[in-house]
Amino acid sequence: MLNLKLSTKIIIAAAFLCFILFLVFVSVLGINNNAQSDVKHFFQQVSSRDYAGALKFYSEKERTKQASFQETIRFHFTLELALLEHFGLMDNPRYSIKIKRDNMWLPFLTPNELKVSVNFTPQQDTNLIAEYLSKAGPDALNGFITMRRENEKWKISQINIEGSKLENVFKRIYPQVTAGKYVSVTPENIELKAAHLELKKLDPLERKILTRDLQTALEVLDKEGTAPDQKIKLPF
């Protein structure tokens, strides 16, 4: 009888320990998966041109490296265009952003760092389970984003463009993404630059750059209105 009671206590203790370990595992898994959702939200901010919002996903060290907000805009707009071209989505406004972890972070056992892969795919009507189980295609950017744990949150510590499949595309596009190529916008002025554009000959990249410049000007006009001291410079 004594052995039976002892065995019962051992089974209960083991079951309780397993339950605690399961809760810890679920908690750690949730923290790991937060990195994936954060990276996805980051790219959503970039695609919506909310560059100030995108900066909030960076580590404090990375934010201090930003030379100026104009350079931040240029970098992230180039990043968006390079990703769209790499994944063949320049003419497709409907796409899904798929983010997957490349490793698992374990508190006190592994470094406070995660690598995540990035994949953009044409948007399809699939259920969540099929999307989760789907394998990354050959163009997926493995280990593209490095995340670090900072103040109990995941922050982007590096975007690994150099050495990735995106490097050549990014370097080719970057010189073309000059600030205000067609329309220059400041808080005081909007300058329309002289340009003759044949729409049929515009490639998808130039269309994106032109659209970005025009949208920026329209957003300023809609937000502020044309104030008495705000000038619109025409190219003639």
Side-chain angles (χ1 to χ4, degrees):
M1 181 65 71
L2 183 61
N3 289 336
L4 181 60
K5 289 182 178 180
L6 183 60
S7 298
T8 302
K9 290 181 179 180
I10 292 174
I11 292 172
I12 293 174
F16 180 75
L17 180 60
C18 290
F19 179 70
I20 295 298
L21 291 175
F22 173 76
L23 291 179
V24 170
F25 173 77
V26 171
S27 177
V28 171
L29 184 62
I31 293 173
N32 276 264
N33 289 339
N34 284 341
Q36 295 178 199
S37 61
D38 287 345
V39 172
K40 186 171 185 177
H41 290 149
F42 164 75
F43 281 114
Q44 288 171 341
Q45 296 285 67
V46 171
S47 65
S48 64
R49 312 287 162 81
D50 184 1
Y51 302 115
L55 279 178
K56 295 178 182 178
F57 289 90
Y58 283 93
S59 67
E60 186 175 346
K61 182 179 179 180
E62 284 301 303
R63 284 200 300 271
T64 58
K65 289 182 180 179
Q66 303 292 331
S68 68
F69 191 61
Q70 286 300 321
E71 281 302 309
T72 295
I73 293 173
R74 185 183 183 189
F75 170 80
H76 288 96
F77 186 50
T78 304
L79 177 63
E80 178 193 3
L81 295 178
L83 286 167
L84 292 178
E85 180 160 321
H86 173 74
F87 290 112
L89 297 167
M90 194 68 82
D91 287 325
N92 189 349
R94 298 181 71 250
Y95 58 87
S96 298
I97 303 171
K98 296 183 178 181
I99 309 296
K100 289 190 176 181
R101 286 184 291 103
D102 293 337
N103 61 302
M104 181 84 170
W105 169 76
L106 297 173
F108 309 113
L109 296 177
T110 60
N112 291 331
E113 186 175 283
L114 277 178
K115 293 287 183 72
V116 297
S117 298
V118 176
N119 193 21
F120 286 14
T121 60
Q123 200 169 75
Q124 299 175 347
D125 296 326
T126 57
N127 58 58
L128 293 176
I129 296 177
E131 184 176 351
Y132 179 79
L133 295 176
S134 63
K135 296 182 179 179
D139 294 328
L141 300 171
N142 298 321
F144 189 63
I145 304 287
T146 301
M147 305 288 285
R148 287 196 65 83
R149 198 89 175 129
E150 185 176 284
N151 298 324
E152 299 185 354
K153 292 183 179 179
W154 291 108
K155 296 291 183 179
I156 297 173
S157 65
Q158 190 170 354
I159 298 179
N160 303 302
I161 295 174
E162 188 173 348
S164 73
K165 299 175 184 177
L166 198 72
E167 182 177 10
N168 291 335
V169 180
F170 185 92
K171 287 183 176 179
R172 176 172 54 79
I173 292 176
Y174 188 78
Q176 302 179 56
V177 185
T178 55
K181 185 174 183 178
Y182 297 105
V183 183
S184 179
V185 180
T186 70
E188 294 78 25
N189 299 295
I190 296 177
E191 180 181 356
L192 306 180
K193 299 185 178 181
H196 177 74
L197 305 172
E198 295 186 44
L199 297 181
K200 291 183 179 179
K201 294 183 179 180
L202 277 180
D203 60 37
L205 176 61
E206 284 300 319
R207 284 180 179 273
K208 292 284 187 182
I209 295 172
L210 174 60
T211 300
R212 189 277 307 265
D213 280 2
L214 294 175
Q215 285 178 341
T216 301
L218 289 173
E219 286 170 5
V220 170
L221 288 172
D222 288 341
K223 184 177 180 181
E224 303 294 341
T226 306
D229 58 344
Q230 186 179 31
K231 300 176 182 179
I232 298 179
K233 296 183 180 179
L234 300 177
F236 51 81

